[in-house]
Amino acid sequence: CGAREVEKDLRLTDVETGWYDAGIVDGQNKIVPSVTFRIENVSQEAIDDVQINAIFRRLDEAEAWGDRLVRGIGDEGLEAGATGQPLVVRSERGYTGIEPRLQMLKNSQFVDAKVELFGKHGSRTWVKMGEYPIDRELITD
């Protein structure tokens, strides 16, 4: 079968964002933007092999601050009307500092971020499926 229109066949649900505690890097605390979501198949037929590209940006910058390509739906497919397991996508770039992670979120120099999620099936071009602000809260799991 041909390439499907993911913007019509799929919907992003249960979207949660925040700043993930990425541990200690070079002696400093690190937090990175994170998004968790599910993909729901709202079409009348099963779909497989869907790619998702998450592009993270700071709100004051046009260029990408980080991006991650993940498999949204694998070879096993997603049946019509079904919702997939949660997908967690995190940027590799983030903030580092010597202050506690919660204090980093309150720093006057802190710049908020957003994530744009794009989907693709087969040979179709990438299409934007959603844009979400990164909540200013710490995620530890």
Side-chain angles (χ1 to χ4, degrees):
C1 66
R4 304 269 296 273
E5 296 180 5
V6 296
E7 69 275 20
K8 293 180 181 176
D9 292 346
L10 303 175
R11 182 174 61 189
L12 303 180
T13 65
D14 303 323
V15 179
E16 297 178 8
T17 65
W19 293 87
Y20 176 69
D21 179 351
I24 297 174
V25 176
D26 296 328
Q28 295 189 352
N29 294 320
K30 182 173 183 179
I31 56 174
V32 297
S34 175
V35 60
T36 301
F37 59 95
R38 293 176 186 257
I39 299 175
E40 179 183 4
N41 182 353
V42 295
S43 77
Q44 299 300 312
E45 54 189 85
I47 186 171
D48 62 4
D49 297 321
V50 173
Q51 297 177 66
I52 300 290
N53 192 16
I55 299 177
F56 296 90
R57 299 180 200 280
R58 288 194 280 196
L59 294 185
D60 63 351
E61 297 177 358
E63 71 227 31
W65 195 36
D67 62 271
R68 297 293 302 263
L69 181 64
V70 297
R71 178 172 267 187
I73 302 171
D75 295 336
E76 72 283 355
L78 187 61
E79 294 299 318
T83 301
Q85 295 296 313
L87 296 169
V88 178
V89 185
R90 296 183 175 124
S91 177
E92 291 182 11
R93 295 184 68 188
Y95 291 112
T96 57
I98 57 171
E99 59 192 346
R101 291 161 186 87
L102 283 174
Q103 287 301 112
M104 292 170 70
L105 295 174
K106 297 175 184 175
N107 188 304
S108 63
Q109 301 296 310
F110 188 91
V111 177
D112 287 304
K114 67 179 179 178
V115 61
E116 297 169 301
L117 297 172
F118 294 84
K120 179 178 190 263
H121 182 264
S123 61
R124 289 200 72 225
T125 58
W126 291 99
V127 62
K128 190 173 188 177
M129 297 182 69
E131 179 176 319
Y132 306 93
I134 303 297
D135 291 335
R136 212 186 266 204
E137 62 184 53
L138 193 61
I139 300 171
T140 56
D141 56 355

